Tab-separated table of all heavy atoms in Angstrom:
chain	number	residue	atom	x	y	z
A	105	TYR	N	8.840	2.089	-8.808
A	105	TYR	CA	7.450	1.637	-8.881
A	105	TYR	C	6.538	2.566	-8.079
A	105	TYR	O	6.915	3.081	-7.026
A	105	TYR	CB	7.316	0.208	-8.322
A	105	TYR	CG	5.872	-0.146	-7.989
A	105	TYR	CD1	5.032	-0.655	-8.967
A	105	TYR	CD2	5.344	0.092	-6.715
A	105	TYR	CE1	3.693	-0.937	-8.674
A	105	TYR	CE2	4.016	-0.182	-6.421
A	105	TYR	CZ	3.198	-0.696	-7.406
A	105	TYR	OH	1.887	-0.957	-7.125
A	107	HIS	N	1.866	3.568	-7.786
A	107	HIS	CA	0.552	3.327	-8.397
A	107	HIS	C	-0.229	4.626	-8.497
A	107	HIS	O	-0.188	5.456	-7.591
A	107	HIS	CB	-0.239	2.221	-7.687
A	107	HIS	CG	-0.567	2.438	-6.240
A	107	HIS	ND1	-1.749	3.021	-5.839
A	107	HIS	CD2	0.109	2.143	-5.106
A	107	HIS	CE1	-1.785	3.057	-4.507
A	107	HIS	NE2	-0.666	2.549	-4.038
A	109	ASP	N	-3.539	4.615	-9.211
A	109	ASP	CA	-4.947	4.407	-8.852
A	109	ASP	C	-5.153	4.691	-7.372
A	109	ASP	O	-4.199	4.722	-6.591
A	109	ASP	CB	-5.407	2.979	-9.202
A	109	ASP	CG	-4.702	1.911	-8.375
A	109	ASP	OD1	-3.477	2.042	-8.118
A	109	ASP	OD2	-5.356	0.930	-7.979
A	111	GLN	N	-8.141	4.451	-3.856
A	111	GLN	CA	-9.299	3.798	-3.236
A	111	GLN	C	-10.551	4.662	-3.436
A	111	GLN	O	-10.443	5.877	-3.599
A	111	GLN	CB	-9.053	3.664	-1.730
A	111	GLN	CG	-8.004	2.642	-1.357
A	111	GLN	CD	-8.583	1.257	-1.180
A	111	GLN	OE1	-9.694	1.092	-0.689
A	111	GLN	NE2	-7.833	0.248	-1.573
A	140	ASP	N	-1.241	8.054	-0.762
A	140	ASP	CA	-1.344	6.666	-1.259
A	140	ASP	C	-1.988	6.652	-2.633
A	140	ASP	O	-3.181	6.499	-2.743
A	140	ASP	CB	-2.146	5.844	-0.256
A	140	ASP	CG	-2.227	4.363	-0.610
A	140	ASP	OD1	-1.509	3.915	-1.513
A	140	ASP	OD2	-3.033	3.656	0.022
A	141	ASP	N	-1.258	6.731	-3.741
A	141	ASP	CA	0.192	6.832	-3.755
A	141	ASP	C	0.606	7.902	-4.741
A	141	ASP	O	1.772	8.026	-5.074
A	141	ASP	CB	0.754	5.444	-4.131
A	141	ASP	CG	2.266	5.379	-4.232
A	141	ASP	OD1	2.939	5.952	-3.363
A	141	ASP	OD2	2.768	4.778	-5.190
A	172	GLU	N	1.610	1.410	-11.921
A	172	GLU	CA	0.404	0.623	-12.221
A	172	GLU	C	-0.879	1.334	-11.809
A	172	GLU	O	-0.861	2.300	-11.048
A	172	GLU	CB	0.470	-0.766	-11.568
A	172	GLU	CG	0.226	-0.757	-10.081
A	172	GLU	CD	-0.135	-2.126	-9.523
A	172	GLU	OE1	-1.007	-2.810	-10.089
A	172	GLU	OE2	0.467	-2.497	-8.494
A	174	GLU	N	-3.806	-0.633	-10.853
A	174	GLU	CA	-4.772	-1.480	-10.151
A	174	GLU	C	-4.196	-2.100	-8.884
A	174	GLU	O	-4.584	-3.191	-8.501
A	174	GLU	CB	-5.380	-2.541	-11.091
A	174	GLU	CG	-4.418	-3.245	-11.994
A	174	GLU	CD	-5.120	-4.177	-12.993
A	174	GLU	OE1	-6.284	-3.925	-13.354
A	174	GLU	OE2	-4.485	-5.165	-13.380
A	175	GLU	N	-3.311	-1.334	-8.236
A	175	GLU	CA	-2.771	-1.817	-6.967
A	175	GLU	C	-3.884	-1.905	-5.932
A	175	GLU	O	-3.941	-2.856	-5.155
A	175	GLU	CB	-1.673	-0.864	-6.473
A	175	GLU	CG	-0.783	-1.440	-5.376
A	175	GLU	CD	-1.338	-1.271	-3.963
A	175	GLU	OE1	-2.288	-0.479	-3.769
A	175	GLU	OE2	-0.843	-1.945	-3.060
A	176	GLU	N	-4.768	-0.918	-5.926
A	176	GLU	CA	-5.809	-0.844	-4.895
A	176	GLU	C	-6.954	-1.826	-5.136
A	176	GLU	O	-7.827	-1.967	-4.301
A	176	GLU	CB	-6.373	0.575	-4.799
A	176	GLU	CG	-5.355	1.633	-4.386
A	176	GLU	CD	-4.889	1.511	-2.939
A	176	GLU	OE1	-5.172	0.486	-2.296
A	176	GLU	OE2	-4.238	2.460	-2.475
A	177	SER	N	-6.980	-2.448	-6.299
A	177	SER	CA	-8.089	-3.366	-6.575
A	177	SER	C	-7.589	-4.798	-6.725
A	177	SER	O	-8.304	-5.661	-7.229
A	177	SER	CB	-8.843	-2.913	-7.825
A	177	SER	OG	-7.955	-2.713	-8.893
A	178	GLY	N	-6.357	-5.040	-6.302
A	178	GLY	CA	-5.833	-6.402	-6.331
A	178	GLY	C	-5.730	-6.963	-7.740
A	178	GLY	O	-5.852	-8.164	-7.956
A	179	GLY	N	-5.483	-6.101	-8.717
A	179	GLY	CA	-5.423	-6.530	-10.116
A	179	GLY	C	-4.271	-7.483	-10.390
A	179	GLY	O	-3.234	-7.426	-9.737
A	200	VAL	N	10.420	1.845	-4.038
A	200	VAL	CA	8.984	2.044	-3.852
A	200	VAL	C	8.765	3.078	-2.748
A	200	VAL	O	9.307	2.943	-1.652
A	200	VAL	CB	8.288	0.710	-3.464
A	200	VAL	CG1	6.831	0.951	-3.099
A	200	VAL	CG2	8.391	-0.294	-4.605
A	201	SER	N	7.996	4.115	-3.055
A	201	SER	CA	7.585	5.064	-2.022
A	201	SER	C	6.081	4.943	-1.875
A	201	SER	O	5.307	5.638	-2.543
A	201	SER	CB	7.995	6.497	-2.405
A	201	SER	OG	9.403	6.592	-2.463
A	202	ASP	N	5.667	4.009	-1.053
A	202	ASP	CA	4.238	3.737	-0.855
A	202	ASP	C	4.015	3.261	0.579
A	202	ASP	O	3.087	2.522	0.867
A	202	ASP	CB	3.778	2.696	-1.880
A	202	ASP	CG	2.251	2.603	-1.974
A	202	ASP	OD1	1.568	3.560	-1.571
A	202	ASP	OD2	1.751	1.562	-2.460
A	203	THR	N	4.942	3.673	1.461
A	203	THR	CA	4.866	3.297	2.878
A	203	THR	C	4.981	4.582	3.704
A	203	THR	O	4.821	5.670	3.160
A	203	THR	CB	5.993	2.300	3.235
A	203	THR	OG1	7.257	2.863	2.850
A	203	THR	CG2	5.801	0.977	2.498
A	204	GLU	N	5.263	4.440	4.982
A	204	GLU	CA	5.213	5.600	5.871
A	204	GLU	C	6.509	5.791	6.630
A	204	GLU	O	7.256	4.842	6.851
A	204	GLU	CB	4.101	5.382	6.919
A	204	GLU	CG	2.732	5.251	6.320
A	204	GLU	CD	1.700	4.734	7.316
A	204	GLU	OE1	2.093	4.145	8.357
A	204	GLU	OE2	0.507	4.930	7.062
A	214	CYS	N	11.332	0.701	5.233
A	214	CYS	CA	10.449	-0.416	5.561
A	214	CYS	C	11.067	-1.695	5.014
A	214	CYS	O	11.397	-1.773	3.834
A	214	CYS	CB	9.067	-0.155	4.950
A	214	CYS	SG	7.922	-1.518	5.202
A	216	GLY	N	9.663	-4.887	5.491
A	216	GLY	CA	8.757	-6.017	5.328
A	216	GLY	C	7.314	-5.566	5.209
A	216	GLY	O	6.924	-4.536	5.763
A	217	LEU	N	6.551	-6.339	4.459
A	217	LEU	CA	5.120	-6.076	4.292
A	217	LEU	C	4.372	-7.375	4.528
A	217	LEU	O	4.903	-8.466	4.281
A	217	LEU	CB	4.826	-5.620	2.854
A	217	LEU	CG	5.469	-4.333	2.357
A	217	LEU	CD1	5.340	-4.249	0.849
A	217	LEU	CD2	4.814	-3.127	3.019
A	218	ARG	N	3.132	-7.262	4.971
A	218	ARG	CA	2.322	-8.474	5.048
A	218	ARG	C	1.714	-8.777	3.685
A	218	ARG	O	1.576	-7.903	2.836
A	218	ARG	CB	1.222	-8.306	6.107
A	218	ARG	CG	1.801	-8.327	7.516
A	218	ARG	CD	0.747	-8.501	8.580
A	218	ARG	NE	-0.048	-7.308	8.801
A	218	ARG	CZ	-0.800	-7.105	9.873
A	218	ARG	NH1	-0.858	-8.029	10.820
A	218	ARG	NH2	-1.504	-6.002	10.021
A	219	GLY	N	1.369	-10.031	3.487
A	219	GLY	CA	0.652	-10.425	2.278
A	219	GLY	C	-0.837	-10.354	2.543
A	219	GLY	O	-1.278	-9.933	3.618
A	220	LEU	N	-1.616	-10.774	1.562
A	220	LEU	CA	-3.068	-10.624	1.695
A	220	LEU	C	-3.805	-11.694	0.909
A	220	LEU	O	-3.481	-11.964	-0.248
A	220	LEU	CB	-3.477	-9.246	1.173
A	220	LEU	CG	-4.944	-8.857	1.309
A	220	LEU	CD1	-5.302	-8.622	2.769
A	220	LEU	CD2	-5.251	-7.599	0.498
A	221	VAL	N	-4.779	-12.313	1.578
A	221	VAL	CA	-5.782	-13.121	0.863
A	221	VAL	C	-7.104	-12.416	1.066
A	221	VAL	O	-7.532	-12.200	2.215
A	221	VAL	CB	-5.853	-14.562	1.410
A	221	VAL	CG1	-7.115	-15.264	0.925
A	221	VAL	CG2	-4.614	-15.358	1.004
A	222	TYR	N	-7.715	-11.984	-0.034
A	222	TYR	CA	-8.993	-11.255	0.064
A	222	TYR	C	-10.073	-12.129	-0.540
A	222	TYR	O	-9.915	-12.660	-1.643
A	222	TYR	CB	-8.900	-9.929	-0.683
A	222	TYR	CG	-9.976	-8.936	-0.263
A	222	TYR	CD1	-9.663	-7.841	0.530
A	222	TYR	CD2	-11.305	-9.112	-0.647
A	222	TYR	CE1	-10.649	-6.943	0.938
A	222	TYR	CE2	-12.291	-8.223	-0.244
A	222	TYR	CZ	-11.954	-7.141	0.547
A	222	TYR	OH	-12.923	-6.256	0.944
A	316	VAL	N	0.692	-5.896	14.455
A	316	VAL	CA	0.371	-5.256	13.180
A	316	VAL	C	1.422	-5.487	12.098
A	316	VAL	O	1.173	-5.187	10.934
A	316	VAL	CB	0.105	-3.734	13.339
A	316	VAL	CG1	-1.109	-3.483	14.216
A	316	VAL	CG2	1.333	-3.003	13.866
A	317	TRP	N	2.593	-6.017	12.446
A	317	TRP	CA	3.642	-6.192	11.428
A	317	TRP	C	3.947	-7.651	11.105
A	317	TRP	O	4.279	-7.974	9.973
A	317	TRP	CB	4.957	-5.514	11.880
A	317	TRP	CG	4.923	-4.021	11.864
A	317	TRP	CD1	3.964	-3.212	11.344
A	317	TRP	CD2	5.934	-3.152	12.417
A	317	TRP	NE1	4.315	-1.891	11.530
A	317	TRP	CE2	5.508	-1.821	12.177
A	317	TRP	CE3	7.158	-3.367	13.079
A	317	TRP	CZ2	6.263	-0.705	12.581
A	317	TRP	CZ3	7.906	-2.258	13.479
A	317	TRP	CH2	7.460	-0.944	13.222
A	319	ARG	N	2.217	-10.651	12.551
A	319	ARG	CA	1.234	-11.682	12.897
A	319	ARG	C	0.127	-11.709	11.851
A	319	ARG	O	-0.270	-10.668	11.331
A	319	ARG	CB	0.632	-11.402	14.282
A	319	ARG	CG	1.654	-11.406	15.402
A	319	ARG	CD	2.288	-12.749	15.617
A	319	ARG	NE	1.333	-13.743	16.126
A	319	ARG	CZ	1.582	-15.054	16.167
A	319	ARG	NH1	2.732	-15.547	15.714
A	319	ARG	NH2	0.681	-15.888	16.640
A	320	PRO	N	-0.384	-12.889	11.542
A	320	PRO	CA	-1.500	-12.965	10.588
A	320	PRO	C	-2.782	-12.402	11.204
A	320	PRO	O	-2.921	-12.359	12.426
A	320	PRO	CB	-1.651	-14.468	10.322
A	320	PRO	CG	-0.891	-15.169	11.386
A	320	PRO	CD	0.039	-14.202	12.055
A	321	THR	N	-3.676	-11.960	10.344
A	321	THR	CA	-4.963	-11.444	10.825
A	321	THR	C	-6.107	-12.086	10.056
A	321	THR	O	-5.925	-12.613	8.958
A	321	THR	CB	-5.104	-9.924	10.604
A	321	THR	OG1	-5.177	-9.675	9.188
A	321	THR	CG2	-3.966	-9.144	11.205
A	325	HIS	N	-14.553	-7.002	6.391
A	325	HIS	CA	-14.593	-5.630	5.860
A	325	HIS	C	-16.002	-5.115	5.665
A	325	HIS	O	-16.222	-3.905	5.653
A	325	HIS	CB	-13.823	-5.561	4.541
A	325	HIS	CG	-12.433	-6.072	4.687
A	325	HIS	ND1	-11.493	-5.406	5.429
A	325	HIS	CD2	-11.846	-7.213	4.265
A	325	HIS	CE1	-10.367	-6.111	5.433
A	325	HIS	NE2	-10.559	-7.206	4.744
A	349	SER	N	-10.679	-10.714	4.821
A	349	SER	CA	-9.299	-10.903	4.372
A	349	SER	C	-8.466	-11.470	5.496
A	349	SER	O	-8.796	-11.341	6.683
A	349	SER	CB	-8.683	-9.600	3.880
A	349	SER	OG	-8.313	-8.783	4.970
A	350	LEU	N	-7.393	-12.113	5.089
A	350	LEU	CA	-6.344	-12.531	6.014
A	350	LEU	C	-5.066	-11.828	5.591
A	350	LEU	O	-4.711	-11.871	4.408
A	350	LEU	CB	-6.136	-14.047	5.951
A	350	LEU	CG	-7.309	-14.895	6.442
A	350	LEU	CD1	-7.828	-15.778	5.328
A	350	LEU	CD2	-6.879	-15.744	7.631
A	351	ARG	N	-4.409	-11.163	6.525
A	351	ARG	CA	-3.061	-10.654	6.260
A	351	ARG	C	-2.093	-11.793	6.537
A	351	ARG	O	-2.242	-12.514	7.539
A	351	ARG	CB	-2.722	-9.472	7.164
A	351	ARG	CG	-3.511	-8.219	6.901
A	351	ARG	CD	-3.041	-7.425	5.693
A	351	ARG	NE	-4.066	-6.457	5.335
A	351	ARG	CZ	-3.973	-5.572	4.345
A	351	ARG	NH1	-2.883	-5.530	3.586
A	351	ARG	NH2	-4.947	-4.757	4.074
A	352	LEU	N	-1.137	-11.949	5.654
A	352	LEU	CA	-0.181	-13.053	5.770
A	352	LEU	C	1.197	-12.542	6.142
A	352	LEU	O	1.554	-11.409	5.828
A	352	LEU	CB	-0.086	-13.807	4.446
A	352	LEU	CG	-1.389	-14.225	3.768
A	352	LEU	CD1	-1.082	-15.140	2.587
A	352	LEU	CD2	-2.307	-14.934	4.745
A	353	VAL	N	1.951	-13.391	6.793
A	353	VAL	CA	3.311	-13.034	7.211
A	353	VAL	C	4.263	-14.093	6.664
A	353	VAL	O	3.827	-15.159	6.216
A	353	VAL	CB	3.392	-12.927	8.755
A	353	VAL	CG1	2.388	-11.890	9.269
A	353	VAL	CG2	3.136	-14.283	9.419
A	354	PRO	N	5.569	-13.810	6.690
A	354	PRO	CA	6.508	-14.860	6.300
A	354	PRO	C	6.272	-16.076	7.185
A	354	PRO	O	6.029	-15.889	8.377
A	354	PRO	CB	7.890	-14.260	6.582
A	354	PRO	CG	7.637	-12.764	6.659
A	354	PRO	CD	6.241	-12.593	7.145
A	356	GLN	N	4.069	-17.857	5.238
A	356	GLN	CA	2.765	-18.414	4.857
A	356	GLN	C	2.611	-18.418	3.343
A	356	GLN	O	2.955	-17.443	2.675
A	356	GLN	CB	1.631	-17.589	5.476
A	356	GLN	CG	1.486	-17.726	6.976
A	356	GLN	CD	0.328	-16.898	7.487
A	356	GLN	OE1	0.386	-15.676	7.510
A	356	GLN	NE2	-0.744	-17.560	7.879
A	358	PRO	N	0.092	-18.281	0.316
A	358	PRO	CA	-1.294	-17.846	0.106
A	358	PRO	C	-2.218	-18.979	-0.347
A	358	PRO	O	-3.362	-19.066	0.121
A	358	PRO	CB	-1.168	-16.780	-0.994
A	358	PRO	CG	0.225	-16.278	-0.896
A	358	PRO	CD	1.057	-17.420	-0.394
A	385	SER	N	-8.216	-11.964	-4.465
A	385	SER	CA	-6.796	-11.749	-4.744
A	385	SER	C	-5.960	-12.394	-3.655
A	385	SER	O	-6.447	-12.620	-2.541
A	385	SER	CB	-6.467	-10.259	-4.832
A	385	SER	OG	-6.503	-9.670	-3.555
A	386	MET	N	-4.724	-12.708	-3.999
A	386	MET	CA	-3.808	-13.216	-2.973
A	386	MET	C	-2.378	-12.831	-3.287
A	386	MET	O	-1.976	-12.793	-4.445
A	386	MET	CB	-3.934	-14.728	-2.814
A	386	MET	CG	-3.804	-15.545	-4.066
A	386	MET	SD	-3.688	-17.311	-3.649
A	386	MET	CE	-4.859	-18.005	-4.790
A	387	SER	N	-1.646	-12.500	-2.243
A	387	SER	CA	-0.223	-12.201	-2.396
A	387	SER	C	0.490	-12.550	-1.096
A	387	SER	O	-0.070	-12.380	-0.014
A	387	SER	CB	-0.020	-10.725	-2.725
A	387	SER	OG	-0.504	-9.926	-1.667
A	388	PRO	N	1.728	-13.041	-1.207
A	388	PRO	CA	2.463	-13.423	0.005
A	388	PRO	C	3.128	-12.224	0.682
A	388	PRO	O	3.248	-11.154	0.075
A	388	PRO	CB	3.529	-14.386	-0.534
A	388	PRO	CG	3.767	-13.937	-1.943
A	388	PRO	CD	2.466	-13.346	-2.436
A	389	ALA	N	3.543	-12.411	1.916
A	389	ALA	CA	4.318	-11.389	2.632
A	389	ALA	C	5.699	-11.270	2.007
A	389	ALA	O	6.151	-12.181	1.302
A	389	ALA	CB	4.442	-11.780	4.100
A	390	VAL	N	6.361	-10.151	2.254
A	390	VAL	CA	7.750	-9.999	1.796
A	390	VAL	C	8.605	-9.442	2.924
A	390	VAL	O	8.136	-8.645	3.738
A	390	VAL	CB	7.891	-9.039	0.591
A	390	VAL	CG1	7.354	-9.671	-0.659
A	390	VAL	CG2	7.225	-7.698	0.848
A	418	ARG	N	8.727	-2.586	9.790
A	418	ARG	CA	7.913	-3.287	8.793
A	418	ARG	C	6.586	-2.547	8.719
A	418	ARG	O	6.299	-1.665	9.535
A	418	ARG	CB	7.655	-4.739	9.207
A	418	ARG	CG	8.866	-5.651	9.117
A	418	ARG	CD	8.390	-7.087	9.052
A	418	ARG	NE	9.357	-8.021	9.598
A	418	ARG	CZ	9.101	-9.317	9.743
A	418	ARG	NH1	7.907	-9.827	9.419
A	418	ARG	NH2	10.023	-10.125	10.253
A	419	SER	N	5.765	-2.900	7.762
A	419	SER	CA	4.420	-2.351	7.703
A	419	SER	C	3.441	-3.498	7.573
A	419	SER	O	3.755	-4.521	6.963
A	419	SER	CB	4.265	-1.401	6.521
A	419	SER	OG	4.872	-0.163	6.798
A	420	GLY	N	2.268	-3.288	8.138
A	420	GLY	CA	1.263	-4.343	8.073
A	420	GLY	C	0.516	-4.385	6.759
A	420	GLY	O	-0.180	-5.351	6.461
A	421	GLY	N	0.628	-3.327	5.958
A	421	GLY	CA	-0.055	-3.262	4.663
A	421	GLY	C	0.617	-4.152	3.636
A	421	GLY	O	1.618	-4.814	3.919
A	422	SER	N	0.048	-4.152	2.443
A	422	SER	CA	0.528	-5.041	1.383
A	422	SER	C	0.778	-4.248	0.106
A	422	SER	O	0.000	-3.361	-0.242
A	422	SER	CB	-0.509	-6.125	1.096
A	422	SER	OG	-0.898	-6.765	2.300
A	423	ILE	N	1.876	-4.561	-0.565
A	423	ILE	CA	2.160	-4.031	-1.898
A	423	ILE	C	2.598	-5.238	-2.718
A	423	ILE	O	3.776	-5.593	-2.745
A	423	ILE	CB	3.255	-2.939	-1.863
A	423	ILE	CG1	2.903	-1.847	-0.836
A	423	ILE	CG2	3.437	-2.311	-3.251
A	423	ILE	CD1	4.005	-0.814	-0.622
A	424	PRO	N	1.622	-5.897	-3.369
A	424	PRO	CA	1.896	-7.222	-3.933
A	424	PRO	C	3.110	-7.285	-4.867
A	424	PRO	O	3.834	-8.269	-4.885
A	424	PRO	CB	0.597	-7.539	-4.690
A	424	PRO	CG	-0.462	-6.770	-3.949
A	424	PRO	CD	0.204	-5.519	-3.487
A	425	VAL	N	3.366	-6.211	-5.621
A	425	VAL	CA	4.429	-6.297	-6.627
A	425	VAL	C	5.819	-6.452	-6.016
A	425	VAL	O	6.736	-6.958	-6.667
A	425	VAL	CB	4.381	-5.068	-7.566
A	425	VAL	CG1	4.976	-3.847	-6.898
A	425	VAL	CG2	5.098	-5.367	-8.881
A	426	VAL	N	5.991	-6.046	-4.771
A	426	VAL	CA	7.308	-6.174	-4.147
A	426	VAL	C	7.740	-7.644	-4.119
A	426	VAL	O	8.903	-7.971	-4.349
A	426	VAL	CB	7.307	-5.540	-2.734
A	426	VAL	CG1	8.615	-5.805	-2.009
A	426	VAL	CG2	7.052	-4.037	-2.838
A	427	GLY	N	6.774	-8.521	-3.884
A	427	GLY	CA	7.061	-9.961	-3.931
A	427	GLY	C	7.373	-10.423	-5.344
A	427	GLY	O	8.251	-11.269	-5.555
A	428	ASP	N	6.681	-9.853	-6.323
A	428	ASP	CA	6.942	-10.225	-7.714
A	428	ASP	C	8.346	-9.774	-8.151
A	428	ASP	O	9.008	-10.471	-8.913
A	428	ASP	CB	5.881	-9.614	-8.643
A	428	ASP	CG	4.494	-10.143	-8.326
A	428	ASP	OD1	4.347	-11.374	-8.226
A	428	ASP	OD2	3.567	-9.334	-8.143
A	439	MET	N	12.103	0.281	0.272
A	439	MET	CA	10.796	0.891	0.552
A	439	MET	C	11.024	2.145	1.388
A	439	MET	O	11.242	2.085	2.593
A	439	MET	CB	9.888	-0.107	1.239
A	439	MET	CG	9.439	-1.203	0.261
A	439	MET	SD	8.250	-2.318	0.985
A	439	MET	CE	9.327	-3.554	1.714
A	449	LEU	N	-4.972	6.942	5.143
A	449	LEU	CA	-5.026	6.168	3.907
A	449	LEU	C	-6.350	5.416	3.837
A	449	LEU	O	-6.804	4.873	4.836
A	449	LEU	CB	-3.895	5.124	3.868
A	449	LEU	CG	-2.481	5.589	4.168
A	449	LEU	CD1	-1.498	4.433	3.967
A	449	LEU	CD2	-2.089	6.753	3.297
A	450	HIS	N	-6.960	5.380	2.683
A	450	HIS	CA	-8.204	4.643	2.426
A	450	HIS	C	-9.389	5.221	3.198
A	450	HIS	O	-10.459	4.637	3.202
A	450	HIS	CB	-8.073	3.141	2.778
A	450	HIS	CG	-7.033	2.431	1.975
A	450	HIS	ND1	-6.965	1.054	1.884
A	450	HIS	CD2	-6.038	2.885	1.186
A	450	HIS	CE1	-5.960	0.708	1.102
A	450	HIS	NE2	-5.374	1.801	0.668
Side-chain angles (χ1 to χ4, degrees):
Y105 163 86
H107 60 92
D109 66 321
Q111 289 272 324
D140 184 11
D141 178 43
E172 75 162 312
E174 44 186 28
E175 196 274 346
E176 298 291 12
S177 52
V200 173
S201 296
D202 194 21
T203 54
E204 298 167 341
C214 176
L217 298 166
R218 288 194 286 197
L220 184 70
V221 165
Y222 199 106
V316 297
W317 289 350
R319 299 295 293 167
T321 67
H325 305 292
S349 77
L350 294 119
R351 292 282 165 178
L352 311 189
V353 302
Q356 290 181 289
S385 72
M386 53 170 133
S387 62
V390 288
R418 288 200 208 174
S419 283
S422 309
I423 307 173
V425 77
V426 173
D428 297 310
M439 289 185 271
L449 310 185
H450 299 196

